[in-house]
Amino acid sequence: MENKILVTRSSMPPYEEYIEAIRPLWESRWLTNMGKYHQELEEKLKEYLDVPQLSLMVNGHLALEMAIQAFRFPEGAEVITTPFTFISSTHAIVRNHLKPVFCDVKPEDGTIDESKIEELITEHTVAIVPVHVYGNVCNVEAIQEIADKYDLKVIYDAAHAFGVKYKGKGIGNYGDASVFSFHATKVYNTIEGGAVAFSERRIYDRLYNLKNFGIRGEELVTEVGANAKMNEFAAIMGLCNLKRVEEVLKARQKKYDLYINKLEKVDGIRFFQRKKEAGNNYAYFPILVEGDYILDRNELYDKLKESGIFARKYFYPLTSDQACFKNQYRNVQLKTARKLSSQVLVLPLYEELNESEVIQICENIRR
Ligand code: T4K
């Protein structure tokens, strides 16, 4: 179909700028293994994200897997998390040989319902993995209080929360670690990429070992590790995109505000709420299609598709309902998560989306 509008479109620097920026690689022939650009990007992102320590990774998923692994939890221990997320959040727990315990979410923002965490804690619980879904900030204070009371680690899946600040601080300052994704579909990308933010220096060393085979010298391997290093082409893309991130956010904000303006009075279309003291990175534009609307979510999804508008059901089904996890873990009431998952639709949002296209999408929804 001509004129398809997809849910997102990668943001990229001007072609010539990137080509010029990668030219030195033909001279140095140093393409990966914590090269010059990897180091430069790590420093710049630490500053931009306003976090004490940062470890760059090849993608957001391995960043999350390794952030969890860095804490060396005993095999089979339980981790409280949310099912209203991308499958990566749950995979990262299970691939660490830990058991996910799914907790319900809150209707207003889709983040973990902190009032339901305590009842899920057992003697086997070791950590909480909440998700700042769509960049909506979790109740970080209440979660930390529970974690302190029961001596649990908190590892945030902040894949959607690049650049979000809460109470004046980078979101990566909360909990024991926070994981960002720099995938091609994110507000800020390094093609594929991710990072773990944390404060303890010891975690930096562990992550370094995990992402580089545990190699500590030409003849010394101190730990079992994998390979999750970011390469220099990706790091350079990250450096170029970092220069224009503010511009990209502004462009996204315009479209985001226009959506709100055009859709806020439509019966049965609801938006998630954002915390007053939290910033917005305009990462996604999710709407909830409720009973008062003339169509259900699936019908609206189909109708938009017929008009060439490819919205996405992020996140349906719940990860706990996916074939690989269904009926395998503790059976917990997930009423709100299930409801949101059946109502949510993420509308197209990206830097180059035209305002006229936003208006066209809204007209389709209003019709
Ligand atoms: N935790 C959470 C909460 C996450 O949402 C994610 C990733 C992760 C962890 C893991 O982080 P990474 O390991 O991915 O860094 C996409 C993304 O692949 C994924 O990064 C993202 N979450 C998830 C929510 O969405 P798909 O399968 O929906 O992507 P796909 O290929 O259907 O692409 C969606 C649209 O994006 C396309 O219609 C067009 C556009 N696009 C796509 C690609 C691949 C581009 O414009 N350029 C591209 O290169 O998963």
Side-chain angles (χ1 to χ4, degrees):
M1 193 187 299
E2 287 289 309
N3 301 327
K4 270 190 200 170
I5 305 179
L6 303 180
V7 70
T8 193
R9 192 172 149 83
S10 292
S11 119
M12 294 173 84
Y15 174 74
E16 291 73 19
E17 185 187 333
Y18 183 66
I19 294 303
E20 210 35 59
I22 60 174
R23 194 184 292 279
L25 300 180
W26 269 258
E27 184 66 33
S28 69
R29 302 281 155 146
W30 191 276
L31 307 185
T32 185
N33 288 9
M34 273 66 94
K36 174 178 167 199
Y37 298 101
H38 177 288
Q39 287 175 36
E40 190 180 334
L41 184 62
E42 209 165 74
E43 282 309 310
K44 290 211 161 124
L45 281 175
K46 198 159 83 175
E47 202 178 305
Y48 184 83
L49 294 171
D50 179 33
V51 291
Q53 306 267 355
L54 189 100
S55 182
L56 271 187
M57 295 276 172
V58 68
N59 58 52
H61 175 77
L62 281 174
L64 185 57
E65 225 177 274
M66 291 185 175
I68 297 172
Q69 203 177 353
F71 290 96
R72 298 184 173 148
F73 299 121
E75 197 169 324
E78 294 177 358
V79 174
I80 298 172
T81 189
T82 142
F84 186 56
T85 181
F86 188 56
I87 197 68
S88 164
S89 320
T90 310
H91 280 336
I93 295 168
V94 175
R95 285 173 51 82
N96 268 295
H97 307 286
L98 300 166
K99 281 192 195 133
V101 175
F102 297 106
C103 180
D104 209 355
V105 298
K106 292 176 292 187
E108 65 270 22
D109 63 9
T111 63
I112 195 163
D113 186 341
E114 60 279 359
S115 71
K116 299 197 170 131
I117 296 178
E118 262 187 286
E119 65 202 49
L120 299 174
I121 295 174
T122 70
E123 60 189 302
H124 305 294
T125 312
V126 289
I128 311 173
V129 174
V131 183
H132 298 303
V133 66
Y134 316 116
N136 294 347
V137 172
C138 298
N139 189 337
V140 290
E141 289 95 352
I143 293 170
Q144 196 56 53
E145 233 172 76
I146 298 168
D148 290 344
K149 184 168 164 193
Y150 294 92
D151 195 20
L152 307 175
K153 297 290 179 201
V154 184
I155 300 155
Y156 283 103
D157 182 336
H160 302 172
F162 180 86
V164 171
K165 294 221 165 155
Y166 179 61
K167 296 196 171 166
K169 285 201 291 189
I171 196 65
N173 286 279
Y174 297 90
D176 296 279
S178 296
V179 172
F180 296 94
S181 162
F182 312 141
H183 183 260
T185 54
K186 298 290 190 284
V187 270
Y188 165 79
N189 82 78
T190 60
I191 310 173
E192 288 267 7
V196 189
F198 47 91
S199 51
E200 273 184 81
R201 175 71 210 183
R202 147 187 98 91
I203 299 298
Y204 188 90
D205 294 334
R206 283 202 186 148
L207 289 171
Y208 188 96
N209 283 342
L210 288 171
K211 75 177 175 188
N212 190 30
F213 311 104
I215 294 174
R216 283 295 168 170
E218 265 184 59
E219 298 178 9
L220 181 66
V221 174
T222 56
E223 214 180 310
V224 179
N227 179 0
K229 293 164 274 135
M230 178 181 282
N231 72 62
E232 295 289 85
F233 287 85
I236 291 174
M237 179 61 97
L239 287 166
C240 291
N241 274 338
L242 197 57
K243 285 194 219 150
R244 44 198 300 283
V245 69
E246 291 300 323
E247 196 185 305
V248 171
L249 295 184
K250 266 192 209 126
R252 297 176 80 108
Q253 180 180 5
K254 270 198 186 153
K255 268 74 82 162
Y256 188 101
D257 291 346
L258 187 57
Y259 268 130
I260 302 247
N261 182 281
K262 297 280 172 202
L263 294 176
E264 67 188 347
K265 297 216 170 71
V266 181
D267 286 342
I269 299 295
R270 175 166 82 83
F271 310 132
F272 283 114
Q273 291 165 26
R274 302 185 70 92
K275 287 196 174 49
K276 279 207 183 67
E277 290 158 295
N280 193 342
N281 64 357
Y282 313 100
Y284 294 91
F285 195 84
I287 57 168
L288 293 159
V289 185
E290 300 192 321
D292 293 350
Y293 189 71
I294 36 164
L295 304 174
D296 68 22
R297 189 275 312 273
N298 290 345
E299 289 165 340
L300 177 59
Y301 169 88
D302 290 340
K303 281 272 173 227
L304 290 176
K305 207 170 183 177
E306 282 167 23
S307 310
I309 299 158
F310 291 73
R312 291 292 289 265
K313 298 174 197 174
Y314 294 138
F315 292 99
Y316 172 85
L318 295 180
T319 65
S320 51
D321 286 342
Q322 287 289 3
C324 55
F325 297 132
K326 205 170 168 65
N327 301 326
Q328 287 196 44
Y329 299 105
R330 210 187 313 163
N331 188 9
V332 177
Q333 268 270 27
L334 298 169
K335 216 170 136 196
T336 306
R338 203 151 269 130
K339 186 168 176 197
L340 294 183
S341 178
S342 72
Q343 294 179 331
V344 76
L345 196 60
V346 170
L347 301 181
L349 181 61
Y350 48 89
E351 180 196 359
E352 292 170 323
L353 184 70
N354 294 322
E355 295 192 8
S356 61
E357 289 171 316
V358 175
I359 292 168
Q360 180 199 334
I361 295 166
C362 296
E363 279 309 310
N364 270 276
I365 295 172
R366 293 203 308 203
R367 250 187 262 142

